[in-house]
Amino acid sequence: RLMQIEILYFGRPSENLKLSHETVNLPAGISTLGELLAWLCLRGDHWAQELTEARIKCAINQEFSAWDAQIKDKDEVALFSPISGG
Amino acid sequence: RLMQIEILYFGRPSENLKLSHETVNLPAGISTLGELLAWLCLRGDHWAQELTEARIKCAINQEFSAWDAQIKDKDEVALFSPISGG
Amino acid sequence: MSVSIQHEDFDAGAVMAELRATSNNVGAVVSFVGLVRDSSYDEKVENILVEHYPGMSENALNKIIAEAKTRWDLLAVKVIHRVGRLGPNDQIVLVATASSHRGHAFSSCEFIIDYLKTDAPFWKKEVTQQGGEWVVTKDSDVQRMERWNTGK
Amino acid sequence: MSVSIQHEDFDAGAVMAELRATSNNVGAVVSFVGLVRDSSYDEKVENILVEHYPGMSENALNKIIAEAKTRWDLLAVKVIHRVGRLGPNDQIVLVATASSHRGHAFSSCEFIIDYLKTDAPFWKKEVTQQGGEWVVTKDSDVQRMERWNTGK
């Protein structure tokens, strides 16, 4: 069955993609963060450039997560540039 | 020739000997801090108790000094309990 | 509350007074204030923009504080992180700790700011005459954080 | 002046603001405040008396600060030590340091208070219901000071 997730953007990708959040319906076959990222990169060169794994960190439900982490229905996924607080 | 020195007292010995400072003329033969202390202890049991080397620290001209340090004429000698600031 | 994320400036002295007032057994209050520096890699910084992940940032800071409390005897802790547009010399962050013993207050304060730098979702964009640049996690900050686990 | 020995209370926040104002290159201000605890070895402390060796105490603190400046990059330093009669929760001592880098501010602040405890001529007498007791240098303080020279 299809999964619907919320994606939040922070830092550089949020600014460059002019997007702070969106709700997306995931197509079949997307079940990890890495797969989600690859799928988002299909949106165009600008996306592919912003969302390479090397430039992005992510969290699922407000926990830092690795690219092989599983996504579940209703998850809150955040994509952001490396953190730099303090 | 005779030496005249100023002795300052701080902390426990100052309180117990009821003395903050005095000017003394040293008799011949007293040239180190250790000798000064032994000489002051001759003033009586109360002094001997307060000024045992184990309970006292000292400074000459505002520098911490060891018991074998030489005393010179006009020196400012300070005798005090172990420091405990901060 | 131990954690505050806010646009408004803060009064470090008032926070220290608050921590001091928690108990007559407080012997040491240590505080760290991080400020906006006016230069970055020799470029003049005009201002910075600080962003955070609402919800996760508070949780991350509370987790760091909880970990500090398992490592040291703390009587009180306060962390304030500002967000929004800030100029040179503006205060960005405050970490203050209170303990009976100064060693505990010092170590925990440094531990919290070190982990904040690597584990709390905040972002800084520095604006210079060349434009804006999102700052990335510094290797030196990662190394400082890792010291706490290797005993170095 | 970097050093003040005074009867009056101090405002830690005002001192931190002063250090912050020295330069737009200040990135970190760390401060330590030492307070009178209400108990000592399980006895209730009614008050303490702080005494110092005028002249030598200022010189000793200035020497400690000078040594800290050779070890770390410091933009400003302030040390305040109170003397006279103080009660539980009263502030005794403040050490505040400012640097471009937080590691320097933290280490120098802790270095200065560690050396103050062993190298600056101040004395504390604690008054409990059992009477007054002149505090002696703590072995733990000597050990903390010695860490700075053995690299431990």
Side-chain angles (χ1 to χ4, degrees):
Chain A
R1 73 184 190 68
L2 292 183
M3 293 196 289
Q4 188 179 68
I5 62 168
E6 181 81 5
I7 307 181
L8 309 181
Y9 299 87
F10 295 101
R12 196 201 62 244
S14 174
E15 180 180 58
N16 290 350
L17 297 170
K18 296 177 178 53
L19 189 64
S20 63
H21 61 99
E22 62 177 323
T23 304
V24 297
N25 295 302
L26 295 184
I30 308 266
S31 64
T32 68
L33 277 174
E35 288 161 359
L36 170 66
L37 210 67
W39 178 67
L40 291 170
C41 286
L42 298 175
R43 288 175 173 180
D45 286 353
H46 197 44
W47 286 77
Q49 189 188 325
E50 278 303 322
L51 298 186
T52 56
E53 288 188 9
R55 303 184 72 196
I56 290 286
K57 303 283 181 185
C58 66
I60 299 179
N61 299 327
Q62 308 199 353
E63 296 282 347
F64 293 109
S65 301
W67 296 117
D68 60 358
Q70 294 287 320
I71 303 172
K72 303 182 310 300
D73 191 34
K74 307 294 179 203
D75 272 354
E76 177 180 296
V77 172
L79 302 174
F80 42 80
S81 42
I83 63 174
S84 53
Chain B
R1 75 182 187 69
L2 291 183
M3 294 196 289
Q4 188 177 68
I5 63 169
E6 181 81 6
I7 307 181
L8 309 181
Y9 298 87
F10 296 101
R12 195 201 61 245
S14 173
E15 180 180 59
N16 290 349
L17 298 170
K18 294 178 179 52
L19 189 63
S20 64
H21 60 99
E22 62 177 323
T23 304
V24 298
N25 295 302
L26 295 185
I30 307 267
S31 65
T32 69
L33 277 174
E35 288 162 0
L36 170 66
L37 210 66
W39 179 66
L40 291 171
C41 285
L42 298 176
R43 288 176 172 179
D45 285 352
H46 197 44
W47 286 78
Q49 188 188 327
E50 277 304 320
L51 299 185
T52 55
E53 288 190 7
R55 302 185 74 196
I56 290 286
K57 303 285 179 182
C58 66
I60 299 178
N61 300 327
Q62 308 197 355
E63 297 281 347
F64 293 108
S65 300
W67 296 116
D68 60 358
Q70 293 288 320
I71 303 172
K72 302 182 312 300
D73 190 33
K74 307 295 181 204
D75 273 353
E76 175 179 299
V77 172
L79 301 175
F80 41 80
S81 42
I83 62 174
S84 54
Chain C
M1 292 299 297
S2 291
V3 170
S4 175
I5 296 170
Q6 61 188 47
H7 279 80
E8 316 82 68
D9 199 7
F10 53 78
D11 177 345
V15 172
M16 294 178 81
E18 200 182 291
L19 265 61
R20 169 187 167 194
T22 52
S23 155
N24 275 354
N25 204 26
V26 174
V29 176
V30 170
S31 78
F32 163 81
V33 172
L35 304 162
V36 181
R37 292 172 57 194
D38 66 355
S39 63
S40 173
Y41 301 103
D42 291 336
E43 278 194 58
K44 194 162 178 53
V45 172
E46 296 182 349
N47 61 70
I48 69 168
L49 179 67
V50 183
E51 197 178 281
H52 75 125
Y53 183 167
M56 183 175 170
S57 50
E58 290 86 350
N59 290 341
L61 293 175
N62 279 315
K63 261 189 252 178
I64 294 166
I65 292 170
E67 173 64 24
K69 285 182 173 174
T70 68
R71 295 187 181 213
W72 296 283
D73 292 331
L74 295 178
L75 294 166
V77 178
K78 180 84 186 184
V79 176
I80 301 177
H81 202 302
R82 292 178 70 194
V83 291
R85 188 75 61 179
L86 300 172
N89 207 235
D90 278 354
Q91 301 187 121
I92 308 172
V93 62
L94 167 82
V95 178
T97 56
S99 176
S100 296
H101 305 288
R102 74 180 186 284
H104 292 238
F106 268 110
S107 295
S108 60
C109 187
E110 196 166 6
F111 173 90
I112 292 168
I113 185 62
D114 285 352
Y115 269 84
L116 183 155
K117 295 259 179 186
T118 59
D119 283 24
F122 290 86
W123 296 269
K124 274 200 295 263
K125 184 180 156 184
E126 288 178 347
V127 179
T128 68
Q129 287 199 318
Q130 317 304 311
E133 187 83 39
W134 290 91
V135 182
V136 299
T137 321
K138 288 185 188 142
D139 289 344
S140 59
D141 284 333
V142 174
Q143 286 157 15
R144 292 188 75 82
M145 180 274 284
E146 286 172 346
R147 283 183 317 162
W148 295 104
N149 293 315
T150 56
K152 259 185 269 179
Chain D
M1 291 301 296
S2 291
V3 170
S4 176
I5 296 171
Q6 60 189 46
H7 279 81
E8 314 84 66
D9 199 7
F10 51 79
D11 177 344
V15 172
M16 294 180 81
E18 201 182 289
L19 264 60
R20 168 187 167 194
T22 52
S23 155
N24 275 353
N25 204 26
V26 174
V29 176
V30 171
S31 78
F32 163 81
V33 172
L35 304 162
V36 181
R37 291 171 59 193
D38 66 356
S39 62
S40 175
Y41 300 102
D42 290 335
E43 277 193 59
K44 193 159 177 58
V45 173
E46 296 182 349
N47 61 68
I48 69 169
L49 178 67
V50 183
E51 196 179 282
H52 75 124
Y53 183 168
M56 183 174 170
S57 52
E58 290 86 349
N59 290 341
L61 292 175
N62 280 314
K63 260 190 252 180
I64 295 167
I65 292 170
E67 173 63 24
K69 285 182 173 174
T70 68
R71 295 186 181 213
W72 296 282
D73 292 332
L74 295 178
L75 294 165
V77 179
K78 181 85 187 185
V79 176
I80 301 176
H81 203 302
R82 292 178 71 192
V83 292
R85 187 75 60 180
L86 300 173
N89 207 236
D90 278 354
Q91 301 187 121
I92 309 173
V93 62
L94 166 83
V95 177
T97 56
S99 175
S100 297
H101 305 288
R102 74 180 186 284
H104 293 237
F106 269 109
S107 295
S108 59
C109 186
E110 196 166 6
F111 173 91
I112 290 168
I113 184 63
D114 284 352
Y115 269 84
L116 182 155
K117 295 257 178 187
T118 58
D119 283 25
F122 291 86
W123 296 269
K124 274 200 295 264
K125 183 180 156 185
E126 287 178 346
V127 179
T128 68
Q129 287 199 317
Q130 317 305 312
E133 187 81 39
W134 289 91
V135 182
V136 300
T137 321
K138 289 186 188 140
D139 289 343
S140 60
D141 284 332
V142 173
Q143 284 157 15
R144 293 188 73 83
M145 180 274 282
E146 287 172 346
R147 285 183 317 161
W148 295 104
N149 293 316
T150 56
K152 260 186 269 178

